[in-house]
Amino acid sequence: MKMLGLWAGVDPHARRPVLRNGLERASDPELKARVGEYLRRGKLLLQSSRLEFDYLRNDAPRCVPSAFYTDGEWVWTGQQEYYLREHDILPEPAFIEHMQAHNFVIPTLSGDAIREAMAFLGI
């Protein structure tokens, strides 16, 4: 199981997270749409009504969904789809290659795969 991430750490001066190196902005609308759909179709593992801050906006409103998803190999948060949709931030290249290898289709997950992902998260 692998965790998809957005943040490299926190900028101590701005007190905001810093995006990981190597993350690119979506310039291809078709790729953005396919990646977004894949992220939305992941198996929902955990969801909270709590909203997180959008750290890429100056006013940093609380509007980012707090949730965890999986496709049986990777786990990601609701932040991934939000930052793609609102700021064009693509997931890390290894995850994009993974999605492409699966033709952007989430596999059917067994109960064991779901339990493994939940155990990975500690839930």
Side-chain angles (χ1 to χ4, degrees), residues 3-115:
M3 185 70 183
L4 188 59
L6 281 169
W7 310 111
V10 176
D11 178 339
H13 301 293
R15 295 186 181 165
R16 289 178 179 235
V18 176
L19 284 170
R20 294 173 79 171
N21 288 335
L23 297 182
E24 297 180 10
R25 300 254 180 192
S27 58
D28 177 354
E30 182 181 337
L31 177 64
K32 179 180 176 180
R34 294 187 84 184
V35 170
E37 186 69 17
Y38 191 95
L39 292 169
R40 283 187 296 279
R41 289 184 181 262
K43 173 67 177 168
L44 179 63
L45 299 171
L46 180 67
Q47 186 171 21
S48 169
S49 60
R50 178 178 171 264
L51 296 174
E52 300 175 26
F53 294 106
D54 179 340
Y55 290 109
L56 298 183
R57 285 184 45 184
N58 289 333
D59 57 345
R62 281 189 180 266
C63 57
V64 181
S66 183
F68 288 91
Y69 300 86
T70 191
D71 66 0
E73 293 182 50
W74 288 78
V75 172
W76 61 91
T77 68
Q79 292 179 355
Q80 294 290 332
E81 192 276 331
Y82 174 86
Y83 282 100
L84 174 64
R85 179 174 25 92
E86 296 297 323
H87 299 286
D88 297 325
I89 305 296
L90 286 167
E92 62 187 77
F95 186 65
I96 292 175
E97 290 170 10
H98 167 77
M99 290 184 288
Q100 289 170 327
H102 288 86
N103 268 344
F104 295 93
V105 175
I106 298 281
T108 301
L109 300 180
S110 69
D112 286 343
I114 294 167
R115 283 187 288 280

